[in-house]
Amino acid sequence: MNARLDHARPYALGLFRIVTGLLFASHGAASLFGVLGGAPGGGTVATGTWPGWYAAAIQLVAGALVLLGLGTRPAAFLASGSMAYAYFTVHQPEALWPLQNGGEASAMFCWAFLLLVFTGPGALALDSLFASRPTASPGRRDDTRPETVAA
């Protein structure tokens, strides 16, 4: 049983990444474009307002990158930090516990993205397409023959 679960781990992690990125990007799209019910209270956030518009832009872009598995670790790090900021500046001053201050989503997103920073994207990620391509760097030899030096 454990062997099967271990074999499926990259795919489960990939699905976790995809769902988390989709949900996060949906929050950003709702706030920026008014889709899916819009920003809290309806409508959109005003362009350039701090912190709402910037948070929504981070949610949309970082969420889409995590969803696609492209630059997953840096995007997840940015997303995690933005959710930590949201929790401690918006929710935590209202009450100590997330259940009391309405910060459950911020806390869960923060920790979910922090997990992706350390685990990587898992399977089904665009990162793996670029990582599998060999790249030639200057001064690097592509053949495996030993180098001979003339005296």
Side-chain angles (χ1 to χ4, degrees), residues 24 55 58 62 73-89 106 109-114 117:
F24 201 60
I58 289 171
R73 286 182 162 158
F77 184 75
L78 177 64
S80 179
S82 74
M83 288 294 96
Y85 178 84
Y87 182 79
F88 286 111
T89 61
S106 296
F109 274 126
C110 177
W111 287 104
F113 284 120
L114 191 62
V117 170

Side-chain angles (χ1 to χ4, degrees), residues 7-82:
H7 179 70
R9 181 181 300 161
Y11 299 99
L13 182 58
L15 290 173
F16 174 79
R17 173 189 47 78
I18 289 168
V19 169
T20 303
L22 176 64
L23 293 173
F24 201 60
S26 297
H27 278 279
S31 295
L32 291 175
F33 307 121
V35 297
L36 305 169
T44 62
V45 293
T47 304
T49 58
W50 177 259
W53 186 85
Y54 294 95
I58 289 171
Q59 289 169 349
L60 180 63
V61 174
L65 289 172
V66 168
L67 167 68
L68 296 171
L70 188 61
T72 302
R73 286 182 162 158
F77 184 75
L78 177 64
S80 179
S82 74

